[in-house]
Amino acid sequence: HVQLVESGGGSVQAGGSLRLSCAASDNTYSGECMGWFRQAPGKEREGIAMIAVSSGDAYYDDSVKDRFTISRDGAKNTAFLEMNSLKAEDTAMYYCGAGELVPWAGTPVPCSAQHWGQGTQVTVS
């Protein structure tokens, strides 16, 4: 069972930046994608960014496109989310997920996560 451990959340003023990290406990884990998802109070969890493990292709939801950048260190099996120009509406619990590509799902972030991290809070004021 792969464990994902997130870090890097916190509180920041609007316009600021944060960098989230997600490390997989099993360095040999070879899922098809790693992604970042977020859930604001009273809302459903939504995928905001993902990276395909084999190709490195990245996908973003429109709400974060051009502000957030997802990347991955293959050797360490760690994914990162660089978040710039943060807005109050970015406030949420952020979760890392890893799993399978679902290109037929019709979503901007086609990563179906089977493994989840514990979440890290991002608060923008």
Side-chain angles (χ1 to χ4, degrees):
H1 179 70
V2 176
Q3 288 186 319
L4 303 175
V5 180
E6 300 114 334
S7 60
S11 297
V12 65
Q13 291 187 337
S17 300
L18 284 172
R19 186 179 192 236
L20 306 183
S21 300
C22 170
S25 61
D26 182 356
N27 204 40
T28 64
Y29 175 70
S30 58
E32 295 179 337
C33 57
M34 294 183 76
W36 289 96
F37 303 75
R38 69 185 181 187
Q39 187 167 19
K43 295 187 177 182
E44 293 186 354
R45 189 176 299 188
E46 60 175 352
I48 56 169
M50 63 145 282
I51 188 164
V53 171
S54 60
S55 68
D57 291 342
Y59 299 83
Y60 300 92
D61 184 76
D62 284 345
S63 63
V64 305
K65 196 175 295 182
D66 299 326
R67 298 188 299 122
F68 292 9
T69 302
I70 188 170
S71 60
R72 181 176 171 269
D73 181 335
K76 298 179 180 179
N77 219 359
T78 299
F80 305 95
L81 187 68
E82 189 75 36
M83 305 186 293
N84 298 315
S85 302
L86 282 161
K87 305 175 182 179
E89 51 262 43
D90 294 317
T91 295
M93 185 70 79
Y94 284 68
Y95 297 90
C96 175
E100 298 177 347
L101 291 168
V102 286
W104 55 86
T107 68
V109 181
C111 183
S112 176
Q114 282 84 54
H115 306 281
W116 293 97
Q118 80 286 356
T120 185
Q121 178 68 35
V122 171
T123 302
V124 185
S125 59

